[in-house]
Amino acid sequence: MKIKSVKLREAHKGSANASFCSILWDLHAHHLVTASSSEPSISIHDPLLPSNPPRVLRHHRDGVTALALSPNSTCLASGSIDHSVKLYKFPGGEFETNITRFTLPIRALAFNKSGSMLAAAGDDEGIKLINTIDGSIARVLKGHRGPVTGLAFDPNGEYLASIDSIGTVIYWELQSGRTLYTLKGVAPDTGSDTSILNVLSWSPDGETLAVPGLKNDIVMYDRDTAEKLFTLRGDHTQHICFMSWSPNGKYIATSSLDKQILIWDVNRKQDIDRQKFDDRICCMAWKPVGNALAVIDVMGKYGVWESVVPSSMKSPTEDIPSSRSKNSNGLLFFDEEDEEDQELSMSGSLSDLGEDSHGESEPPSRKRLRKQPVIDDDQHEDVYNELSSCTKTESRKKVHRINKESSDKERDGSRSMMTYRPKMQEAFQPGSTPPLPGKRNFLCYNMLGSITTIKHDEYSHIEIDFHDTSTGPRVPPMTDHYGFTMASLNENGSVFANPCKGEKNMSTLMYRPFSSWANNSEWYMRFEGEEVKAIALGGTWVAAVTSLNFLRIYMDGGLQKHILSLNGPVVTAAGFKDELAIVTHVSDCLPSNEQMLEFRIFNISKGTQPFKGRLPLTPGSYLTWFGFTEEGQLSSYDSKGVLRVFTSQYGGNWLPLFSAIKERKSGENYWVVGLNASKLFCIVCKNPDSFPQVHPKPVLTLLNLSFPLASSDLGEEALENEFMLNNLHLSQIQKRIEVMTDEGLDTTSLDDEAFDIEAAQDRCIFRLIASCCNGDKLVRATELVKLLSVEKSVRGAIQLATALKLPILAERFNNILEERLQSKTEVLKTSLPRSNHDRNVKTDVAASMALPATERSEISEPTLSTSSAKLSAPLLIKKVKSSDRVKFGKPKTDGDQTACLEDSREVKDAGKNAGPSQVNSVKEVKNLQTQRPSNPFLKLPNNQEEKKVEEVMPESQSQGPSNPFFKSSNKVGEATGVQQSHRPSNPFLKSRAQ
């Protein structure tokens, strides 16, 4: 076998003794992260330019023993001998927070698949599960009797596997925190040498757990039963100290104390390559894109082994499995109610893990795949054990499958009976749970915090907690003598209400602000013979809906401001800043058991009702959550697991942005907490529970929003979903910009956000065009090219069609580009020659509304081609007031107008008589003649910025102010393969008057 040498370079000096070092790739293989237990620093390297000095993070006081990177590569976690776990932004490296501390050094860190949870463990033998959203400790797992050296989350999100220095492996169930299986003595005892750590790793499909064995081998264990499946034993002469699965799970790399690495073909159970090193390799990481393996030794030297897998074999990044394939195939999970089956499976698996189970054992179906001319006595014994073990496992699985199917049918039948509700849905408070005797329940649980209560004999005890304790105020516990059953919480205060009680049948509403300049700022309202059914809290108001169908609105000081009558009984209510949303019944349920619900949105400060209409629900379902996103979009979630978000598109419509039918596993329910522009925050509850308990603290799960798209013949549902989400976000931002512009507020931050989304949209469209070209969907590709916003992107599409040898398609793309260039020159021609001040403003607004933000800048300054990212098709319309142009300086003279008109005509003529490249040349000549001032994109304070505009405008009356969407990134150029230069300025940009 040909031996390839891997060149290592020094990353950490450390000490002369061996120390444990870590190495990681980021998601796109743009960075390598290294650390050493003998050095308190973390290094972030550029793998393309390894000679460049790395970015160094120095925040620990002692050696860094563990690293972990979130799945989306935006958060880096580090553990140290100094007992702390720290979080950083990635790849920038900005320090975020100290997320937790231990009493002894940290040895292992791991993120779950969604990045919402970080597991940390070390020498103190306990495992902490930390919510990365708020830094709280969700649970502490205790069961090891030695330092915990390895952690691995099951890719399917159900289990956590851990291993300690004495060779014990434990399977943990994440939902309950209990131990499922304990495998004692299955891995080597590493003793007190901290440079050698036992590790374990799940296969990418989540079916197999790899653990170092006692015979210098790797032992594979089953996901659900912890049964030994087979082993990988080769030419390692000492214990294995590290392993790493390839991204597709076809290969695994193992490092041993004998200073060599073996690459294994897992299906064939044979090593296919090896590499010998001067020092022991203590950590490895497969490159997520490509055929390479990053390694680091105990002396702090790292390198990249290229072409690990021979070119004649399948690439390690080809056919990467989905971690949810297990669920889609209908295989088994243990339910909490199947206790007898669990005990049987657990006892069986542990009894089979005898003294001989650590040898090489393989199921018969896999045995034929391996060429093994000689089998010794130990292997005969292992095969016999494996056959009997396999038989037991299959019989248990068969019994469990039958029980599972029958229990599912029973549950489905009971669920269908429960779904039939002849009466209307009762009122509920979003984020609340039913009261349980002797236990705390949630009165409110949202993205900000929670309000909990527990009932005693004569009173209740209420506590208010914030997820982010560093920003939320400290609110002392409250003794409740009213028996409050509903609450609402925001940044300013909390509101409580109770049902009718007492001799006078009175209901009470109470508001408690968190801070006030006056003493005794809380207030009460009491309703005799009228019961509060739902409450909501806004920026400066409190709302209560009562049993008389009255909507009562109070100011936060207690002033009774409005009383409105609603059309029907209330179901729920929610508030966000100035907006109040209420759901009411329109009529009785239909014979098909469909709830007839109506929603209304009120603007409290303006006294208006912007929207009103039917609330859509999945047939046969009822409303389970109602509220606003973090950006202020109204949302609803029904009992069938469909999340909808309200948008002003098409006159006001609800868009389905998530369906739990495809996401959740059998026997799971999603209890919604809130959402933002891209993620749904929920708590996973297992049957029969439909809501979370207060203790232990619930663990938030983050789910990606996605439209329920049909299966496309193109096979690019992910890109199409991204395309639709970007359109939705742009529409929402456009609406917010219009509102803020009408109110005279600064929209710079929203403009930048819109630019970023437009850039991402153009990248998405370009990838869809490439897929259409490869899939012979040329008409669809032409439709997509028309949606590109940047001229350079269209040119990139032309180059793509040419490279794929599609001349007819390239000609059509070129015609689209020429039409776009001609329309630009026509806009210039019609917008420049007006001398009247108001005419200028109206024409500029019309022109800016007619084109996306990026193309407006291309028109204004023809000399420079855009360097920003590609922009999307939805237009970002900005209103410009006539008074905004007053401060731009003296009005244009006739001479200036004539010169501008001639310039535009020359550009137009050049576009007719020459190709696009020559048009750019003409534009460059015109740019040199106008002599634009340098760096128009420099941000200045408001007063300085106005002076700058007044100085610039007389020099070039034909040009407008600079473009606030300017970005210096060259990501578009990289995505389209087109070289891009600086972004031109925008003549249609509004400037806000003092």
Side-chain angles (χ1 to χ4, degrees), residues 4 21 29 49 235 439 470 541 586 624 672 687 862 917 939:
K4 297 171 287 186
C21 299
L49 299 171
D235 293 337
K439 293 185 178 181
S470 62
W541 51 267
V586 178
T624 59
V672 174
N687 284 340
S917 60
K939 290 187 176 180

Side-chain angles (χ1 to χ4, degrees), residues 24 33-35 39-44 55-70 72-80 82 84-99 109 111 118 132:
L24 294 173
V33 188
T34 62
E39 198 172 87
S41 63
I42 302 169
S43 297
I44 302 176
R55 182 185 297 114
V56 180
L57 313 181
R58 295 185 177 91
H59 294 279
H60 285 289
R61 297 191 302 272
D62 212 329
V64 179
T65 53
L67 293 176
L69 199 56
S70 63
N72 60 0
S73 295
T74 60
C75 181
L76 175 67
S78 64
S80 169
D82 64 11
S84 68
V85 177
K86 301 179 185 294
L87 293 184
Y88 313 83
K89 289 182 179 179
F90 193 84
E94 297 86 355
F95 175 72
E96 282 285 302
T97 183
N98 287 307
I99 197 167
L109 296 173
F111 278 100
L118 175 69
T132 56

Side-chain angles (χ1 to χ4, degrees), residues 141-172:
L141 308 177
K142 294 186 177 181
H144 283 283
R145 295 294 179 264
V148 180
T149 57
L151 297 170
F153 278 100
D154 156 34
N156 293 330
E158 192 172 10
Y159 305 138
L160 172 71
S162 59
I163 188 171
D164 57 29
S165 62
I166 62 176
T168 299
V169 174
I170 298 181
Y171 280 48
W172 307 88

Side-chain angles (χ1 to χ4, degrees), residues 442-727:
F442 290 109
L443 295 180
C444 174
Y445 192 110
N446 58 22
M447 299 287 283
L448 181 66
S450 63
I451 302 177
T452 60
T453 183
I454 184 170
K455 184 173 179 57
H456 299 287
D457 293 337
E458 301 294 333
Y459 64 93
S460 296
H461 186 263
I462 293 178
E463 293 182 354
I464 300 177
D465 298 302
F466 292 90
H467 301 316
D468 188 353
T469 56
S470 62
T471 58
R474 291 185 176 273
V475 182
M478 180 178 71
T479 300
D480 167 29
H481 295 281
Y482 296 94
F484 294 129
T485 58
M486 62 192 83
S488 185
L489 173 71
N490 69 4
E491 299 85 353
N492 302 323
S494 55
V495 60
F496 302 86
N498 66 348
C500 291
K501 59 185 301 185
E503 296 179 358
K504 295 184 178 181
N505 198 28
M506 298 186 68
S507 183
T508 303
L509 177 73
M510 184 189 80
Y511 175 69
R512 292 186 68 191
F514 294 140
S515 62
S516 175
W517 59 270
N519 295 327
N520 194 23
S521 54
E522 68 180 41
W523 49 264
Y524 298 83
M525 296 290 166
R526 297 186 178 181
F527 312 97
E528 186 172 351
E530 184 179 0
E531 184 175 355
V532 177
K533 291 292 188 179
I535 55 178
L537 198 54
T540 58
W541 51 267
V542 177
V545 187
T546 68
S547 56
L548 299 181
N549 298 342
F550 287 166
L551 168 60
R552 297 178 176 271
I553 300 174
Y554 305 86
M555 302 307 292
D556 54 6
L559 176 65
Q560 303 188 51
K561 190 174 182 181
H562 300 291
I563 302 178
L564 307 177
S565 287
L566 301 177
N567 294 338
V570 67
V571 177
T572 190
F576 180 81
K577 295 183 179 179
D578 288 336
E579 291 189 340
L580 166 65
I582 294 178
V583 178
T584 58
H585 286 281
V586 178
S587 65
D588 290 335
C589 299
L590 295 179
S592 59
N593 192 36
E594 293 187 36
Q595 300 285 333
M596 303 294 291
L597 304 182
E598 178 186 69
F599 77 96
R600 293 187 179 191
I601 302 177
F602 300 93
N603 190 301
I604 304 301
S605 62
K606 296 180 181 179
T608 60
Q609 180 179 293
F611 291 101
K612 170 186 175 182
R614 282 285 307 276
L615 181 70
L617 294 173
T618 306
S621 69
Y622 53 93
L623 188 64
T624 59
W625 182 86
F626 189 71
F628 289 87
T629 70
E630 289 188 336
E631 294 77 21
Q633 298 297 125
L634 188 60
S635 309
S636 70
Y637 187 81
D638 63 32
S639 59
K640 294 290 187 180
V642 177
L643 173 76
R644 296 174 176 87
V645 174
F646 184 75
T647 175
S648 58
Q649 292 179 337
Y650 298 101
N653 270 280
W654 291 85
L655 304 182
L657 276 186
F658 177 82
S659 177
I661 298 174
K662 296 182 179 180
E663 292 289 334
R664 65 186 173 194
K665 305 171 187 174
S666 176
E668 283 186 350
N669 298 304
Y670 291 153
W671 194 78
V672 174
V673 174
L675 66 152
N676 58 20
S678 60
K679 299 285 185 181
L680 173 67
F681 294 75
C682 64
I683 298 170
V684 179
C685 301
K686 287 198 171 184
N687 284 340
D689 295 333
S690 58
F691 53 86
Q693 306 292 328
V694 176
H695 296 295
K697 190 172 182 178
V699 177
L700 281 180
T701 300
L702 276 66
L703 303 173
N704 292 321
L705 299 182
S706 61
F707 286 93
L709 300 178
S711 297
S712 170
D713 56 0
L714 192 62
E716 294 290 352
E717 287 82 1
L719 286 177
E720 291 173 339
N721 180 71
E722 181 184 350
F723 170 77
M724 295 182 66
L725 284 176
N726 288 337
N727 280 342

Side-chain angles (χ1 to χ4, degrees), residues 617-855:
L617 294 173
T618 306
S621 69
Y622 53 93
L623 188 64
T624 59
W625 182 86
F626 189 71
F628 289 87
T629 70
E630 289 188 336
E631 294 77 21
Q633 298 297 125
L634 188 60
S635 309
S636 70
Y637 187 81
D638 63 32
S639 59
K640 294 290 187 180
V642 177
L643 173 76
R644 296 174 176 87
V645 174
F646 184 75
T647 175
S648 58
Q649 292 179 337
Y650 298 101
N653 270 280
W654 291 85
L655 304 182
L657 276 186
F658 177 82
S659 177
I661 298 174
K662 296 182 179 180
E663 292 289 334
R664 65 186 173 194
K665 305 171 187 174
S666 176
E668 283 186 350
N669 298 304
Y670 291 153
W671 194 78
V672 174
V673 174
L675 66 152
N676 58 20
S678 60
K679 299 285 185 181
L680 173 67
F681 294 75
C682 64
I683 298 170
V684 179
C685 301
K686 287 198 171 184
N687 284 340
D689 295 333
S690 58
F691 53 86
Q693 306 292 328
V694 176
H695 296 295
K697 190 172 182 178
V699 177
L700 281 180
T701 300
L702 276 66
L703 303 173
N704 292 321
L705 299 182
S706 61
F707 286 93
L709 300 178
S711 297
S712 170
D713 56 0
L714 192 62
E716 294 290 352
E717 287 82 1
L719 286 177
E720 291 173 339
N721 180 71
E722 181 184 350
F723 170 77
M724 295 182 66
L725 284 176
N726 288 337
N727 280 342
L728 174 63
H729 296 161
L730 278 172
S731 174
Q732 295 172 352
I733 293 177
Q734 173 185 335
K735 183 68 176 176
R736 290 162 60 190
I737 288 178
E738 290 178 357
V739 172
M740 294 179 66
T741 302
D742 291 340
E743 297 175 354
L745 301 176
D746 184 22
T747 62
T748 302
S749 61
L750 287 179
D751 291 342
D752 292 341
E753 185 178 354
F755 180 88
D756 292 337
I757 297 176
E758 286 181 327
Q761 181 72 319
D762 245 23
R763 290 192 293 272
C764 175
I765 293 174
F766 196 86
R767 292 196 296 270
L768 280 172
I769 293 172
S771 297
C772 289
C773 292
N774 292 325
D776 199 26
K777 305 295 181 184
L778 304 186
V779 175
R780 200 176 308 175
T782 306
E783 295 172 346
L784 288 166
V785 166
K786 295 178 181 179
L787 300 179
L788 290 170
S789 300
V790 183
E791 177 187 326
K792 292 292 182 181
S793 302
V794 182
R795 295 185 187 277
I798 295 173
Q799 292 183 359
L800 175 65
T802 304
L804 295 176
K805 298 181 180 180
L806 300 171
I808 298 177
L809 185 64
E811 180 63 26
R812 287 188 173 273
F813 288 177
N814 191 64
N815 293 339
I816 294 172
L817 176 61
E818 290 178 356
E819 292 174 2
R820 183 171 297 191
L821 291 174
Q822 184 176 357
S823 65
K824 288 182 185 180
T825 55
E826 290 176 355
V827 171
L828 267 179
K829 183 176 180 179
T830 56
S831 62
L832 291 179
R834 298 180 182 270
S835 59
N836 183 275
H837 214 52
D838 293 333
R839 283 182 177 178
N840 273 333
V841 174
K842 292 179 181 178
T843 306
D844 291 350
V845 172
S848 64
M849 292 174 64
L851 292 173
T854 49
E855 293 200 357

